[in-house]
Amino acid sequence: MVSKTDDTPASAPPCAPVDLADDAGNGVQDTGECSKTSPEDPCGCGAGAGTAMVNGDGARGHAEELVPKRDGAGDSDGGEEANEQEVIVIQDTGFTVKIQAPGMEPFDLQVSPQEMVQEIHQVLMDREDTCHRTCFSLQLDGNVLDNFAELKSIEGLQEGSLLKVVEEPYTVREARIHVRHIRDLLKSLDPSDAYNGVDCNSLSFLSIFTDGDLGDSGKRKKRGNELEQIDCTPPEHILPGSKERPLTPLQPQSKDWKPTQCLKVLTMSDWNPPPGNRKMHGDLVYLYVVTVEERHVSITASTRGFYLNQSTTYNFNPKPSNPSFLTHSLVELLSQISPAFKKNFTALQKKSLQRNLFERIATPFQLYSWTAPQVDHAMDCVRAEDAYTSRLGYEQHIPEQTRDWNEELQTTKELPRKNLPERLLRERAIFKVNSDFAAAATRGAMAVIDGNVMAINPGEEARMQMFIWNNIFFSLGFDVRDHYRELGGDAAAHAAPTNDLNGVRAYGAVDVEGLYTLGTVVVDYRGYRVTAQSIIPGILEREQEQSVIYGSIDFGKTVVCHDKYLELLEKTSRPLKYKKP
């Protein structure tokens, strides 16, 4: 398993004019000024997600805004007006709209003017009666709504407006997303993804410890007039005084942790990709399914939806079977061909929705457990696809779509923070980009150690090799230049990245305007320590000695200085409690 030491904190700055040159030779920034772009779309995804936090100078600014000035009448009025305006912006009242999905009666949905259309999409994909839909658009009076538009900016959208869910044609990307979503629904109660650290699934034990007794919805058994007692006693071997210390998983397991099986196999067919003539007919992806009733079927995902074809394991016949059951959702098709799937899938969704809300949503950052027990290894097409691709949010279907982490990290730091709403938006964007960077760095570090990434210096010894994957620089925790010979050699070099990371976190917490640090993640995997850093533009095209303008890269033999950098460091000396440089 992966043990991620830490990632850049939510308010950590991304690109630093500090001497972060490591033993592998990764360089640093010239000054605090790097290439920057407009901050309109800070995280590259059109939406910020995560937890808003205010710290450092931002917290003091918040306190000052909420206290009106007393120096004069005019200042006091201005402070009260700013305070009132700020509260109005945050506490914007919501309204109710009606949603009409195909084959369903309209239902009410409470929304906020500051939400985006995309958030309504996500709500529909989480509801029990609409969760099987992924490829659709929302229309108001026949007009398709932009997914990244805020509701308050949509003309004609008001209390009681009717939004129609309209099924859209599939593309290869949308078909794969649909299959992934159905797979996630089928494994919503399976803890294997949480144990293995997949797509921000995390372990949760609330339902286990409460035995389903969650308020009014609790269904705990009764013994006479009293509820059955819940045994919360921890295992004996972890209590004080125990002499045995077995290396066993500490996570409690639910009595029914193996959920009801809906399908035996759902995987990509070996007939993929469709030949040219079938692409002209609209074939996108072929699936192979084995139902609980042991029925083996081949399914075609086309632009119009999903239907059964006549292909077998060794014979390719893409023509529709009779009957073909063309449906826009894979769940609807499987429900028609397998009564057991229809029954078990309905029961699975109801059981999943009985869990607490915080158990159903993904965490904004990935957690990994090295104490995971042995779980059943079932056939999984999504897991198999991810193992042999460099997927990062399905971008493998968009050529050359790799993210510029340094640019994103810097841009979010430059977002305005004059008032509370601006600071909330800024902190959300910073948290989102740093979480994405940590996830990408962890995936890349695993690929590096597994030998799936080519080194940029393949002629060097293995311990001295450096790697670049998805615009992230990777170096190993070895004493490659004998810098730590007198301090412990490789053992000291193994501990040094953690100290570097703590330095990045400290400067990030201060959050001084104009001072940037590298996006930094330290990953422990299979006994190796890997340092992942964002790449400063141009650093790989020039000599490291020409890049460092403050600090030392030879352990103090030569030290360079810069006036502008001293000004920035002077601002951090007081909050970090060190002597001014």
Side-chain angles (χ1 to χ4, degrees), residues 560-575:
V560 293
C561 188
H562 195 279
D563 294 338
K564 184 175 181 179
Y565 192 66
L566 288 175
E567 294 178 7
L568 293 172
L569 284 184
E570 187 175 355
K571 298 178 182 179
T572 65
S573 59
R574 182 175 180 181

Side-chain angles (χ1 to χ4, degrees), residues 226-240:
E226 296 182 359
L227 289 174
E228 181 180 358
Q229 297 297 321
I230 300 176
D231 185 13
C232 298
T233 305
E236 184 178 353
H237 61 269
I238 69 171
L239 295 177

Side-chain angles (χ1 to χ4, degrees), residues 84-315:
E84 182 181 359
Q85 181 180 3
E86 184 170 341
V87 174
I88 291 176
V89 171
I90 298 174
Q91 299 179 352
D92 207 345
T93 57
F95 60 96
T96 303
V97 296
K98 291 185 178 294
I99 306 293
Q100 184 175 18
M104 291 176 51
E105 293 294 328
F107 59 88
D108 294 336
L109 181 66
Q110 185 78 16
V111 296
S112 168
Q114 295 180 334
E115 290 181 4
M116 292 191 300
V117 177
Q118 189 180 38
E119 297 180 56
I120 300 181
H121 275 250
Q122 190 60 46
V123 170
L124 297 179
M125 290 170 61
D126 291 336
R127 282 180 60 97
E128 180 182 2
D129 47 3
T130 58
C131 63
H132 59 282
R133 302 184 182 277
T134 60
C135 186
F136 60 89
S137 63
L138 291 174
Q139 296 187 6
L140 175 64
D141 299 332
N143 298 320
V144 179
L145 303 183
D146 181 8
N147 286 346
F148 300 106
E150 291 186 347
L151 299 184
K152 63 183 180 182
S153 65
I154 299 177
E155 185 178 358
L157 183 62
Q158 56 187 356
E159 177 76 25
S161 295
L162 179 64
L163 298 180
K164 291 186 177 182
V165 177
V166 180
E167 298 171 344
E168 296 291 341
Y170 282 97
T171 61
V172 174
R173 180 175 182 272
E174 290 292 342
R176 288 181 176 271
I177 290 177
H178 186 79
V179 174
R180 285 177 176 271
H181 181 66
I182 301 304
R183 177 261 189 193
D184 291 340
L185 293 178
L186 297 179
K187 300 193 68 175
S188 58
L189 296 180
D190 192 338
S192 59
D193 281 353
Y195 277 122
N196 294 323
V198 177
D199 289 341
C200 292
N201 289 282
S202 299
L203 295 168
S204 176
F205 311 113
L206 179 62
S207 296
I208 298 176
F209 284 123
T210 59
D211 198 18
D213 185 18
L214 299 175
D216 297 335
S217 61
K219 297 182 179 180
R220 192 144 55 93
K221 297 179 180 180
K222 289 186 177 181
R223 288 184 177 178
N225 295 328
E226 296 182 359
L227 289 174
E228 181 180 358
Q229 297 297 321
I230 300 176
D231 185 13
C232 298
T233 305
E236 184 178 353
H237 61 269
I238 69 171
L239 295 177
S242 176
K243 297 181 179 179
E244 296 184 1
R245 292 291 186 267
L247 188 61
T248 57
L250 295 179
Q251 297 90 352
Q253 291 188 355
S254 175
K255 299 175 183 178
D256 52 353
W257 71 280
K258 289 188 177 181
T260 305
Q261 188 178 37
C262 299
L263 290 175
K264 288 192 172 181
V265 175
L266 170 61
T267 184
M268 297 294 175
S269 172
D270 290 338
W271 297 115
N272 284 310
N277 62 317
R278 290 309 306 176
K279 289 182 180 180
M280 298 297 292
H281 285 81
D283 291 3
L284 303 174
V285 178
Y286 299 128
L287 305 174
Y288 175 70
V289 171
V290 179
T291 65
V292 177
E293 299 90 348
E294 288 291 343
R295 182 181 177 185
H296 297 243
V297 295
S298 294
I299 298 177
T300 298
S302 68
T303 54
R304 297 177 299 162
F306 297 82
Y307 63 87
L308 299 181
N309 61 47
Q310 301 180 28
S311 297
T312 62
T313 305
Y314 301 104
N315 295 313

Side-chain angles (χ1 to χ4, degrees), residues 418-439:
K418 296 180 180 178
N419 51 48
L420 182 57
E422 289 182 351
R423 288 199 300 273
L424 291 175
L425 179 61
R426 178 176 180 269
E427 294 292 343
R428 289 182 64 189
I430 291 175
F431 186 83
K432 170 64 175 174
V433 176
N434 279 282
S435 298
D436 289 350
F437 178 73

